[in-house]
Amino acid sequence: GKNLLWTSPHGGMSSPVVMNGRMYILSRIGEVAQTNTSVVGPRTQETVLCLDANTGEKIWEYAMNMTQTEVPYHRLGWSSVTGDPETGNVYALGSQCNLMCFNGADGKLLWQRQMTEEFGMISTFGGRTPSPLLDEDQVIIGEVSFGWGDNARAQHRLFAFNKRTGELNWTVGTGGLPVDAPYTTPVSAVIGGQRLIITAAGDGGVHTFQARTGKKVWTFQASKRGLNTTPLIDGTRIYITHSEVNLDNPLNGAVICIDAGDLVNGVPKQVWRKDGVEAGFASPTIGNGRLYVFDNSAILHAFDQAEGKQLWQKRMGTIGKASLVSADGIIYVAEANGRVRFVRPGDKGCEIVSSVELPEEKPGREYVIYGSMAIANGRIYLSAADKTYCIGDKDAKVVEDPLPTPPAEAEGGDNTLAMLRVTPADWAMRSGEKRQFAVAGFDAIGRPAKVGVDVQWSVGQLLMPAPPKSVTTLPVQAVEGATRPVMAPPATGPTMVGNLSGAVAPDGTFTAGAARQHEGGGVYAKAGNISGVARVRVMPPLPWKFDFEKAPIDRPPLTWLGAGGKFAVEEIDGGKALCKVPNIDLYYRARTNFGVESMSNYTIQADVRAGKVVHSDASGERIYVPDPGVINQRYVLMIYGNHQRVQIHAWSGALATQLSGAGGLQTQIPFAWNPDTWYRMKLRVDQYKDRAVARGKVWPAGEAEPEAWTIELADPMPNRSGNPGLFGHSLVTPFKSNIYYDNVLVTDNASAEMLP
């Protein structure tokens, strides 16, 4: 402890970021202390935290409610903050999918995007949340999402936002079926003269896109499941690690080196590969011609970078999670149980020059350490479960150590216009509103190019992919000498869809029509024979009613987010209804949102019907009835089949604590109801000065509505706005059972009761 400069009582799973004399992490507040641990409390929130890098004192903190997620309490604050030296701003993605931009000095929120309610991004029960990437004037994040229209299908998607305004520049899917929602962070590089974004993904592939346009360049399939580690780039070589099942052998895990400068049939050449090394969480590092890999069992491996020969290995503990850090000839290793090692590597082995075991204090956390160390200004910063440490010399001199100059993009050529980018790339607006769209031109390898001719604007449809067939196990198909998971082909082909009305002026200003229904489509720009498109949804004034009678079968509603592959219109009882489709095991919990995330003070009503399945096996007979729900301003009214109760909750990830009525997390009452019977659910949320009040009722659809609300939740940490939506929890194998929704109605609340 002689060079321990300070400790702070704020900790977590996040890797620290140091910039301009401040240190930033994600953490949490509001936990309730218990003997040797802590549990979720009525005021538990996730936070973005700024500390003084010299003293550890808190400078500012921004707290976020947990909504629209199943992430458990112990996994709050998983991702890391990203700093921008140019603007001094910092960016964070919360585990509830809030993407936020702050003034790094004072914590002022400059802009935010709610990725679930605006783009269909999911936050899972595992809580794995990626960290943002800063590249030029863009902030880029990647995760599994289910959008709308032509983006309705499940994809691991990248989203590139203008870092100053939060406006979406482009979004693109990786192409494969995601079977995991990982927390890998994209990286940027210049390879072969192109500025690229490279990311591992939930479909087991490593994918590359042009940085300014999102145009796909190549894919290398590395695994049958999703990848959490971040690819490491050195020149044209890319190093990949994982701990999942390999494509062509039964072993778990591999270390792979590919050469992105040597493409064979459009795919990078595999230079070398070491199977059986399970390194699926910690990202690797390099130094002195060696690749260092920290595997899941906390063994540090050294490989020759050029040929992949394993030089040595050394155990550092029992659980490897945090990524490695290399500086001044030392490898900095943080093991999950609190063992901190500073290692001096050699060609045939390594020397542990410092070894410290942190106290086994991890209240309400799985691990003592999850994030990697940060090194800045001669000091080392480390966040553990319950505190943050600063190690180093208090008199350390700040030495300028600029980043190496990256390879230059390709020069020459005529920069002929090959692509148009229309921004904002995805926009939701209300009937009659106006929005000006802009265009930017790029050549074939993604360099800026002059548009050069007058841009012609128009309104049109979008190409919507067909829904997938039922898939519970992934078939395997040979691809260029290897194997990869593929999706069962859809029953039908893609179709052109869209009902967007309105007009676009010559300057790109789109005026939405007087919509009486939800509309969606594209605003197109064309210069010569080159075109680009922005995706636009238009919402009519309330009330809204959806009876699905005119909707196409086997597809989700056009403009609904999060519905692709999870919800589809089906025929039932001589009419049509929306069904939560129980075809894919991964989608057993599903939500779909419609509207805009700024909506507040409204009521949602829907008819619901849940099926029933009786399953018999060696353990006996089990009955399963799924759980339908409706969403209003991030509060959820649920009826539980097997538990026979009604519940309103704000954060389902906290439900294991059963804090009934505790300060806004949840409240519940018994309610006897029958499967294969239509019920009407009604959820109203009113915003008051110091709270939000959610009131619900459920009754048989053919009977008169009860006069009184039967369940109420008063939330002193209110969610002030949010999309309406539907929720369903229905297992697939072996409990396949449908949930149906019909006659969805959204209405304004009485103005006299708003915000006294």
Side-chain angles (χ1 to χ4, degrees), residues 387-421:
K387 58 175 64 75
T388 295
Y389 301 85
C390 177
I391 307 158
D393 183 354
K394 64 182 178 63
D395 298 319
K397 306 283 187 195
V398 177
V399 178
E400 291 298 326
D401 187 16
L403 290 172
T405 301
E409 291 184 68
E411 296 182 357
D414 56 7
N415 292 95
T416 301
L417 181 69
M419 291 173 280
L420 283 183
R421 188 182 75 190

Side-chain angles (χ1 to χ4, degrees), residues 9 30-31 72 148 433 459 535 570 620:
E31 58 261 52
W148 67 275
E433 286 185 343
V459 175
R535 307 164 67 253
E570 293 188 1

Side-chain angles (χ1 to χ4, degrees), residues 54 78 175 216 253 299 324 387 440 498 624 663 692 699 738:
N54 295 312
W78 192 312
K216 194 170 188 179
I299 298 173
L324 297 174
K387 58 175 64 75
Y624 178 74
W699 70 98
N738 290 345

Side-chain angles (χ1 to χ4, degrees), residues 70 73 89 204 432 533 628:
E70 283 70 57
Y73 157 74
N89 295 339
V533 62

